[in-house]
Amino acid sequence: MSLIPNSMAATQQTEFQKNFRLIVEKIFNHWQDLRLAVEHGMGGRNGQQVAIEIMDYTYQYCISNENITQGELQEVVEELMDQEFNTLCDDDSIPEICRNLLRYKLMAQQNQYPQIEAELSKLPAGKEWLRPDVKITYTPIEGDSSSDEDMDDDDEEDDDEMEDEDAPSSSGRMTRSQTRKQQAQEFVEPEEGWTTVRRK
């Protein structure tokens, strides 16, 4: 049995962390749900920075914990998306991301970088956007009636939720982004027919 000198082990650990960081960045830059949450203003004005922080936190969580299960990592990422973007991903993207992160972490620890690189190169080509020097434009969602038409144009999936502002049921059907925007601002008396929804 041969022992690896401490300095070599430290070098390997540094190398692993550097390479795994690149893997995490590659995966997060291709995560469409996260980008959409930023572009739709779910994280407010600093949504892109929040997304970078989620990526950083996930990376730290992965390298700081030895035996993470996919379920544990999934819970962490889902909670971050819920807390920071008020967003639930129901397209199975989070389980897939967590499964890949843990698989690539194991492969990276075993120096299987050519195989990882081959797999990651199959991802569709896209610009890295989770960097402070890249500008992501987002569409702020306004809660006032004067911008209802704008909202319908900007965020078509909310069309049915914005049908009738004065209907009593509409107050219970506010979109997540509207709720998020209201929380971000100082409390102002809502317009008639609206109810302010506060997080627990």
Side-chain angles (χ1 to χ4, degrees):
M1 184 174 124
S2 62
L3 295 173
I4 301 174
N6 269 349
S7 61
M8 189 184 270
T11 305
Q12 283 181 335
Q13 182 63 12
T14 304
E15 193 68 17
F16 156 72
Q17 289 182 0
K18 195 172 73 180
N19 287 320
F20 186 64
R21 171 75 195 182
L22 295 172
I23 293 166
V24 173
E25 286 178 9
K26 185 99 171 164
I27 289 173
F28 269 76
N29 273 291
H30 279 82
W31 186 11
Q32 203 55 34
D33 286 4
L34 182 61
R35 181 160 184 150
L36 286 171
V38 171
E39 288 175 347
H40 286 107
M42 303 299 275
R45 190 169 297 284
N46 298 319
Q48 184 180 4
Q49 182 55 41
V50 171
I52 292 169
E53 287 166 12
I54 287 176
M55 178 178 70
D56 291 344
Y57 182 86
T58 305
Y59 163 73
Q60 285 298 335
Y61 186 85
C62 286
I63 63 166
S64 303
N65 296 289
E66 266 315 298
N67 301 308
I68 323 166
T69 66
Q70 183 185 322
E72 288 168 341
L73 185 57
Q74 209 171 300
E75 210 171 283
V76 167
V77 177
E78 283 171 352
E79 196 173 313
L80 286 167
M81 287 299 285
D82 185 32
Q83 284 177 353
E84 302 300 333
F85 287 104
N86 241 351
T87 299
L88 300 172
C89 304
D90 56 5
D91 63 350
D92 288 333
S93 61
I94 292 180
E96 186 184 344
I97 282 168
C98 294
R99 186 171 55 250
N100 283 328
L101 285 174
L102 294 179
R103 193 165 73 87
Y104 290 141
K105 176 186 174 186
L106 189 63
M107 289 169 73
Q109 287 169 328
Q110 296 167 352
N111 281 322
Q112 297 175 359
Y113 295 115
Q115 192 179 339
I116 295 170
E117 208 167 313
E119 286 186 28
L120 290 177
S121 69
K122 292 175 187 165
L123 289 171
K127 188 178 169 195
E128 282 187 13
W129 62 278
L130 284 168
R131 296 189 341 223
D133 59 323
V134 176
K135 181 86 177 110
I136 290 284
T137 54
Y138 78 97
T139 309
I141 312 287
E142 297 298 333
D144 65 328
S145 57
S146 63
S147 64
D148 275 356
E149 281 132 27
D150 295 341
M151 271 199 292
D152 290 344
D153 292 339
D154 294 341
D155 204 350
E156 288 175 353
E157 64 238 10
D158 289 353
D159 281 354
D160 61 336
E161 296 189 22
M162 296 306 301
E163 283 167 5
D164 186 1
E165 191 177 60
D166 296 325
S169 62
S170 68
S171 62
R173 297 171 60 212
M174 287 181 69
T175 62
R176 284 185 174 278
S177 51
Q178 290 169 307
T179 306
R180 177 92 183 165
K181 181 158 178 60
Q182 281 193 348
Q183 291 162 358
Q185 296 173 336
E186 279 182 24
F187 178 73
V188 289
E189 199 57 46
E191 289 183 31
E192 198 176 319
W194 286 94
T195 304
T196 301
V197 180
R198 293 238 176 241
R199 284 180 71 83
K200 54 186 178 288

